[in-house]
Amino acid sequence: DDIFAFIYGLLHSPDYRERFAADLKRSLPRIPRIEAEDFPAFRTAGQKLLDLHIGYEDLEPYPLMIAGADPMGPGSADLCDWFRVEKLKWGGKAREKDMSTIIYNNRITITGIPDEAHEYMLGSRSALEWIIDRYQVKTDKPSGIVNDPNDYSREVGNPRYILNLIAKITRVSIDTVAAVRSLPDLAM
């Protein structure tokens, strides 16, 4: 387990990714020899990253600010409808996105997303950008099948599932960036 955690930490090292960028584009990752005294740092950070990335559903959500009318107020609708997502989007204008704000729906706005949350990248975009792209109601034109992310919220009986997911992924992103920053440079 320690070796797996070490490798996971090493593969997240910015120094490793920079040094072997060309190789990583063409072939499988290779694990270089490192100094023995660096092993514990990579192992510890790797274990922290594994815990974050595997157990993200159980994390304490990041304390984002959620603005919107009270769903229990006069004329309130079913909670599943209140927290329903059609298409998430960033705040601000199209050309000047405010990436500290997510427009959740026409009743709810999420603010207070720190800049560090956008540093954790999944391929070419941040984890939050991935959620914004994927968590929207879409209809496949050829088949007519509707992909509705709200269905899972109803299945698990948690109307706030997507809202909570955004807060948890913000936590994962910030904690991942902190763990990666704690890694030593490769001394080879």
Side-chain angles (χ1 to χ4, degrees):
D1 289 344
D2 285 347
I3 291 171
F4 189 77
F6 159 77
I7 291 172
Y8 200 68
L10 180 73
L11 294 175
H12 279 82
S13 165
D15 190 25
Y16 172 83
R17 290 177 177 214
E18 184 179 318
R19 281 191 194 192
F20 298 102
D23 295 331
L24 290 170
K25 289 179 183 176
R26 287 182 261 145
S27 62
L28 293 173
R30 300 198 187 275
I31 307 305
R33 293 181 75 148
I34 65 159
E35 299 296 324
E37 61 268 10
D38 288 338
F39 181 85
F42 283 103
R43 181 198 60 226
T44 302
Q47 189 59 56
K48 171 75 172 165
L49 292 167
L50 284 166
D51 294 343
L52 284 169
H53 299 165
I54 293 170
Y56 71 93
E57 292 261 358
D58 299 323
L59 290 176
E60 184 69 28
Y62 188 82
L64 298 171
M65 293 169 271
I66 314 240
D70 182 5
M72 304 314 254
S76 64
D78 174 33
L79 281 180
C80 283
D81 289 338
W82 189 263
F83 292 104
R84 180 173 177 73
V85 167
E86 288 296 324
K87 182 175 171 88
L88 298 168
K89 60 183 177 180
W90 295 114
K93 306 253 187 247
R95 292 180 187 235
E96 297 174 19
K97 294 178 187 170
D98 175 5
M99 295 184 80
S100 69
T101 302
I102 295 175
I103 309 300
Y104 184 84
N105 61 24
N106 62 357
R107 296 175 293 276
I108 299 171
T109 301
I110 303 166
T111 58
I113 299 169
D115 291 338
E116 294 86 25
H118 303 290
E119 291 179 34
Y120 173 47
M121 303 298 280
L122 299 171
S124 62
R125 56 189 167 174
S126 74
L128 289 172
E129 288 174 302
W130 189 89
I131 288 176
I132 285 182
D133 181 51
R134 297 292 176 185
Y135 278 75
Q136 59 182 295
V137 178
K138 287 184 181 176
T139 303
D140 181 61
K141 290 182 183 177
S143 68
I145 296 173
V146 177
N147 179 17
D148 188 346
N150 301 289
D151 290 344
Y152 187 72
S153 297
R154 282 189 287 280
E155 268 181 49
V156 296
N158 181 1
R160 295 177 55 103
Y161 175 79
I162 298 171
L163 193 63
N164 293 338
L165 179 66
I166 291 168
K168 289 178 182 184
I169 295 302
T170 302
R171 167 73 64 204
V172 167
S173 298
I174 290 168
D175 290 355
T176 295
V177 168
V180 167
R181 286 180 180 165
S182 76
L183 291 169
D185 288 338
L186 296 176
M188 299 185 316

